[in-house]
């Protein structure tokens, strides 16, 4: 609630014009505020607040990121919303039990806490370093105007700068001419499998015969005779994209001549 104290000052009292501080003691905490300039009659208003705020994620957010400078999920961003006005919100990153980074914003009820993957320097003259690939625990906390802290929001963020790797798999008769050139019979199915050590693969893409890139969802049936250039790749949920892998597929429906 609001605590109001009315102060009457008699003329002639030896008071210095400036700020007056009113202390309020409750539950072993000291709450105080600075008043306006002292006048003959003045009153101070102290907002008495011992209830912690609530901090919640404002929207869904990606828990994997790749600080490689390609402009795709280069930072881990925690969008937050406070249940009341906040003086500060801060994000702490841990590698095991070791605190490696602290990021904060001031005077925002809603906003974003952002980590770029850098590790705070330790010691005078030390420089910031970059965290290595792996999992890190994050903890987000909001602080209201009275200094009460919210319960922390905890989770795990994945730092991943490695792209996934994709392998083509054929179901049917196939002859491997070179590691990137294959002869197949009509009706042969082509499927892609992708692996990623740290993140989930979100999609696979392919370009057949120089056309538009398409998202791979089902097996490709190779039934048109002739030579077919093929490109394929995978993208993980940290935004890492595999370099397009070139292949050549030859669909051959004619048996070799016999003599």
């Amino acid at each position: 609630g609001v605590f109001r104290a009315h102060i009457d000052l008699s003329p002639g009292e030896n008071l210095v014009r400036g700020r007056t501080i009113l202390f309020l003691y409750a539950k072993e905490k000291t709450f105080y505020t600075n008043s306006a300039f002292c006048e003959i009659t003045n009153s101070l208003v102290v907002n008495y607040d011992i209830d912690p705020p609530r901090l919640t994620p404002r929207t869904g957010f990606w828990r994997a990121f790749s600080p490689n400078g390609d402009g795709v999920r280069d930072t881990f961003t925690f969008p937050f919303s406070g249940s009341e006005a906040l003086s500060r919100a801060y994000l702490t990153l841990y590698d095991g039990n070791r605190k490696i980074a602290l990021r904060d914003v001031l005077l925002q009820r809603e906003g974003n806490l952002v980590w770029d993957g850098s590790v705070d320097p330790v010691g005078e003259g030390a420089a910031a370093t970059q965290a290595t690939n792996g999992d890190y625990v994050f903890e987000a906390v909001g602080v209201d105007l009275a200094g009460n802290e919210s319960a922390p929001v905890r989770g795990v963020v994945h730092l991943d700068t490695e792209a996934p790797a994709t392998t083509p798999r054929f179901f049917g008769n196939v002859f491997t001419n070179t590691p990137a050139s294959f002869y197949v019979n009509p009706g042969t199915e082509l499927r892609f499998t992708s692996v990623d050590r740290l993140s989930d693969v979100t999609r696979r893409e392919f370009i057949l015969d120089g056309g538009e890139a398409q998202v791979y969802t089902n097996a490709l049936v190779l039934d048109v005779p002739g030579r077919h250039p093929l490109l394929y790749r995978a993208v993980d949920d940290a935004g890492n994209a595999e370099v397009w892998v070139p292949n050549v597929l030859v669909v051959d429906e004619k048996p070799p001549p016999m003599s």
Side-chain angles (χ1 to χ4, degrees), residues 65-69 72-78 91 93 100-104 113-121 128-133 136 157-161:
F65 75 112
S66 176
N68 55 13
V72 180
R73 295 187 197 138
D74 284 335
T75 60
F76 167 64
T77 300
F78 179 83
L91 181 73
L93 282 304
I100 62 170
L102 178 67
R103 302 291 182 268
D104 64 357
L113 292 164
V114 180
W115 183 44
D116 61 359
S118 61
V119 177
D120 292 344
T129 57
Q130 189 68 29
T132 58
N133 288 340
Y136 298 89
V157 59
H158 312 285
L159 192 159
D160 177 13
T161 58

Side-chain angles (χ1 to χ4, degrees), residues 184-253:
V184 300
N185 282 347
T188 298
E189 288 189 353
L190 170 60
R191 303 176 187 177
F192 298 109
T193 58
S194 303
V195 294
D196 193 291
R197 187 173 64 91
L198 291 170
S199 303
D200 294 331
V201 175
T202 55
R203 70 181 185 275
R204 301 172 186 85
E205 301 172 328
F206 69 93
I207 299 174
L208 186 62
D209 294 330
E212 297 292 329
Q214 302 179 61
V215 176
Y216 169 78
T217 54
N218 297 304
L220 306 180
V221 179
L222 307 173
D223 55 6
V224 178
R227 185 177 184 274
H228 302 281
L230 171 70
L231 297 170
Y232 59 85
R233 72 173 184 178
V235 181
D236 66 21
D237 63 0
N240 299 302
E242 183 180 11
V243 176
W244 287 103
V245 181
N247 276 188
V248 174
L249 308 178
V250 179
V251 179
D252 187 0
E253 63 178 354

